[in-house]
Amino acid sequence: MSSLQQTLTLAWRSLLQLRRNPWELMDFSIQPILFLLLFLYVFGGAVAGSTAAYLDFILPGVIVMNLVFVTVYVGHGLNTDLTRGVFDRFRALPIARWSPLAGRILADMVKQAWCVLLLLVVGFLLGFRLGAPVSGVLVMLALLLVFAFAMSWIMVLVGVVARDPEHVQLFGFTALFPVTFLSNVFVPLDTLPPFIRAVVAANPVSLLAEASRGLLSGGPVLEPALWSLVWAGVITLVFAPLSLWALNRRLARS
Amino acid sequence: MDEAIRAEGLVKQFGATRALDGIDLSVPRGTVLGLLGPNGAGKTTAVRILATLLAPDAGQAWVDGCDVASEAAAVRSRIGLTGQYASVDEKLTGRENLILIARLLGFSRRDARARAGELLVEFGLEDAAHRPVQTYSGGMRRRLDLAASLVGRPRILFLDEPTTGLDPRARLDLWNLIRELVAQGTTVLLTTQYLEEADSLADEIVVIDQGRVIASGTSDQLKARIGGQTLVLAPEHESDVATALSIVTEIVGREPEVDGARLRVPVSDPALVPAVVRRLDESGIVARELTLRGASLDDVFLTLTGRHASVETPAGDAEAAP
Ligand SMILES: Nc1ncnc2c1ncn2[C@@H]1O[C@H](COP(=O)(O)OP(=O)(O)O)[C@@H](O)[C@H]1O
Ligand SMILES: [Mg+2]
């Protein structure tokens, strides 16, 4: 069996966990839908004048916000494997050293794609219509997955460092809340006070949301998309080596 | 070369703790080695090094002739490992866990299913096969864990405290499964805190303490050194302790250890007990307690090191031995 097949098998295993544990599937299926509905109907009138007008704005925003939160599952799953000894079982098998980690990240990409498509479908049911070519959806998906991949490396680090899976979740969500809320996900940039505007404008979450809006409804795409990719590149370059170093260190000391 | 496992001078340091301090091991093919030691002796560390999960600071080891450091992949394809804590995926079913391992080992989809089915029957897990592992009992988990280590039919098997935490019934079940594997020619390195377990499964026992080998030999050789059983005697009146001590010393030929008003001594011949009873009777000493019990790890320790195994362990561990 090639190392690619091993990775696919391990990704299949991560997804199989979902089938056996429907509530986890609900966790990241129902939650984003709830977020979308709540924000849409609570803030819609105040922020955009009507829910219909707000939908164009908030749908890409919630998609990005959810994307960022779902990356926590990479760290959670990895930590579970590490603390429960499953990772050791894999390491004692004659398979490629990197395939358990790669399998986990790959499975996460599938979950991410599922969430994006699910939110799009719910958006359509709520009345959302594309204002740009359909190919934009695919470009958006690719862009989002690239960013999710980069974020995975941060979560691998969290998963390696944390004592148990609960701490991964606690730390992950605590760190990600300010990152997602200090963005243009919920409100347009120009409604914010100037002193945080610079931070919000440079936040990769804002950049991704802006690019996604452009790709779905029309508007600027190239610049925010390129900056998102720069962010993804920098995050990967910093965190991939750091995470692998931390993982090897943890394994050498256990 | 008929050695399945060989280790020379293994050393491993964790911060200030010297987990292994120069361990040598040799396990002939087709035999069972029992690595016996209290909590913290270094058993798990030794197994993890042999199973390529951990690199030693010094020393070398070979499994089936392959160097664990330079030929790790070859070692991994020859071994099965059941760690101290069941390492199966809690969220998958028993069957899925086994299929997963089989697929990773290169079995085709159909062969993986067949092998999983075979093992589920063999390990009495058929009825639970479709349930997520998190619903399993401790014994079932252990059996599944062992089954998962056997998917690739390894010729060499590492079992790290396979029965710790199991009830006596589940322990016996597991012992029988291990015996069957051995009968089929599998080489087994098994760690345990229970002398009884090493005694009933192992051809050769190596006793380790604080990362060092302190004794080794067959079960019989070890028992000859420590006495197969322990005589415990507590005189009714504390004033009789000294007399009782000299009587027991004279008959058993070894000075008992005194713990309050209780005497404890290893005996190799149970026939000595009636003699002790007679002499106590003649001296008018009434015994509050007089028992003969199988030797425990603690007795082994007391004899070999002059201290109790439980000194080094959280309270209760050595006492939990069957
Ligand atoms: N990852 C680790 N970090 C620090 N100390 C460790 C680690 N693993 C084991 N030790 C220490 O090394 C010694 C041997 O441990 P171990 O091999 O687990 O013993 P056993 O399996 O016989 O109970 C113990 O004192 C233990 O505390
Ligand atoms: Mg141990």
Side-chain angles (χ1 to χ4, degrees):
Chain A
M1 194 181 224
S2 73
S3 42
L4 181 65
Q5 279 174 303
Q6 289 158 3
T7 303
L8 290 174
T9 303
L10 287 159
W12 162 77
R13 166 243 173 184
S14 294
L15 294 172
L16 203 57
Q17 289 183 330
L18 290 177
R19 211 183 69 205
R20 297 283 161 222
N21 302 270
W23 71 86
E24 201 175 305
L25 186 66
M26 304 264 277
D27 210 25
F28 66 78
S29 301
I30 303 287
Q31 197 169 298
I33 295 174
L34 274 181
F35 266 122
L36 180 63
L37 293 175
L38 284 174
F39 284 115
L40 184 61
Y41 291 110
V42 175
F43 295 139
V47 178
S50 74
T51 45
Y54 192 50
L55 185 58
D56 282 358
F57 185 83
I58 192 68
L59 181 63
V62 169
I63 287 176
V64 174
M65 180 189 80
N66 188 61
L67 180 94
V68 170
F69 282 139
V70 167
T71 58
V72 174
Y73 285 104
V74 172
H76 187 263
L78 175 64
N79 188 274
T80 307
D81 285 354
L82 283 170
T83 50
R84 303 270 196 279
V86 177
F87 207 80
D88 278 344
R89 173 167 298 287
F90 294 149
R91 284 208 305 143
L93 292 176
I95 59 174
R97 299 291 272 175
W98 47 266
S99 57
L101 193 57
R104 186 100 354 260
I105 293 177
L106 182 64
D108 191 59
M109 296 292 117
V110 176
K111 291 181 199 173
Q112 293 284 15
W114 155 259
C115 288
V116 172
L117 295 178
L118 181 73
L119 279 169
L120 280 177
V121 168
V122 173
F124 276 95
L125 294 178
L126 292 171
F128 178 82
R129 291 297 173 265
L130 281 179
V134 182
S135 59
V137 176
L138 294 179
V139 177
M140 178 185 79
L141 190 61
L143 187 65
L144 290 174
L145 290 185
V146 169
F147 189 75
F149 176 79
M151 284 288 294
S152 302
W153 289 111
I154 300 182
M155 288 306 146
V156 168
L157 184 63
V158 175
V160 169
V161 173
R163 192 153 22 107
D164 52 45
E166 288 68 39
H167 278 84
V168 175
Q169 238 154 350
L170 195 71
F171 182 82
F173 288 125
T174 310
L176 291 178
F177 253 104
V179 176
T180 46
F181 277 79
L182 273 178
S183 74
N184 67 7
V185 160
F186 309 107
V187 290
L189 188 62
D190 49 30
T191 63
L192 297 170
F195 67 96
I196 57 168
R197 209 177 287 171
V199 177
V200 169
N203 185 346
V205 175
S206 305
L207 294 162
L208 266 182
E210 198 184 337
S212 302
R213 284 182 189 122
L215 286 162
L216 292 183
S217 309
V221 171
L222 197 60
E223 201 189 321
L226 283 179
W227 279 115
S228 314
L229 289 175
V230 169
W231 265 109
V234 170
I235 292 173
T236 307
L237 279 178
V238 172
F239 282 92
L242 193 61
S243 302
L244 291 176
W245 171 79
L247 179 61
N248 283 328
R249 208 173 88 115
R250 174 169 178 159
L251 294 175
R253 292 185 173 191
S254 61
Chain B
M1 147 133 202
D2 65 346
E3 256 179 338
I5 303 168
R6 178 175 187 78
E8 285 175 5
L10 293 182
V11 172
K12 183 74 194 182
Q13 184 102 19
F14 290 114
T17 312
R18 209 164 177 79
L20 293 185
D21 193 11
I23 293 259
D24 300 327
L25 296 171
S26 165
V27 189
R29 215 172 278 285
T31 68
V32 182
L33 178 82
L35 200 56
L36 178 67
N39 227 338
K43 304 181 295 296
T44 297
T45 307
V47 166
R48 290 175 63 81
I49 288 175
L50 292 171
T52 76
L53 295 180
L54 201 60
D57 297 335
Q60 269 189 296
W62 298 265
V63 173
D64 206 12
C66 305
D67 189 308
V68 294
S70 60
E71 298 165 281
V75 172
R76 288 184 198 123
S77 65
R78 288 164 161 79
I79 61 165
L81 167 66
T82 300
Q84 188 168 352
Y85 306 99
S87 52
V88 278
D89 191 327
E90 300 264 311
K91 292 183 173 176
L92 299 190
T93 67
R95 188 185 304 280
E96 287 164 347
N97 263 289
L98 297 179
I99 291 178
L100 170 67
I101 304 287
R103 293 286 288 148
L104 289 173
L105 287 173
F107 285 59
S108 71
R109 230 172 275 260
R110 169 200 290 258
D111 290 349
R113 287 216 136 259
R115 181 71 181 134
E118 222 170 86
L119 285 163
L120 288 165
V121 172
E122 213 174 304
F123 285 76
L125 291 167
E126 237 183 336
D127 295 336
H130 64 283
R131 287 196 343 235
V133 174
Q134 53 200 359
T135 66
Y136 283 23
S137 71
M140 291 162 72
R141 241 173 250 236
R142 279 279 172 187
R143 292 208 299 272
L144 181 65
D145 203 29
L146 184 54
S149 330
L150 296 173
V151 171
R153 298 192 175 82
R155 304 293 294 153
I156 298 167
L157 187 62
F158 295 100
L159 301 173
D160 194 7
E161 300 199 23
T163 67
T164 299
L166 293 189
D167 60 59
R169 174 72 212 281
R171 169 169 298 149
L172 286 181
D173 283 350
L174 211 69
W175 283 6
N176 285 331
L177 287 170
I178 295 170
R179 286 199 188 99
E180 270 167 44
L181 291 169
V182 175
Q184 291 159 21
T186 312
T187 306
V188 177
L189 189 155
L190 151 120
T191 81
T192 181
Q193 300 193 31
Y194 309 139
L195 179 62
E196 191 198 349
E197 183 159 286
D199 184 19
S200 72
L201 293 175
D203 298 303
E204 168 125 5
I205 299 175
V206 169
V207 186
I208 66 168
D209 176 39
Q210 296 178 341
R212 270 186 225 154
V213 175
I214 57 170
S216 64
T218 63
S219 179
D220 287 340
Q221 287 167 342
L222 221 58
K223 280 185 189 166
R225 268 181 81 180
I226 60 161
Q229 286 170 308
T230 296
L231 175 71
V232 182
L233 166 66
E236 178 77 40
H237 304 291
E238 214 151 312
S239 52
D240 290 335
V241 170
T243 323
L245 184 72
S246 66
I247 291 174
V248 174
T249 309
E250 184 190 322
I251 296 175
V252 177
R254 196 196 285 248
E255 180 148 343
E257 190 222 352
V258 185
D259 169 18
R262 184 179 278 149
L263 311 180
R264 226 160 70 127
V265 66
V267 292
S268 31
D269 182 6
L272 295 173
V273 177
V276 172
V277 173
R278 213 161 30 236
R279 284 288 300 279
L280 288 174
D281 201 32
E282 286 166 15
S283 315
I285 297 174
V286 182
R288 178 163 48 81
E289 182 187 352
L290 178 64
T291 50
L292 193 61
R293 57 170 174 75
S296 67
L297 174 62
D298 198 32
D299 301 318
V300 177
F301 257 71
L302 200 58
T303 315
L304 294 174
T305 66
R307 55 192 173 74
H308 288 279
S310 49
V311 173
E312 300 294 318
T313 66
D317 266 337
E319 269 67 42

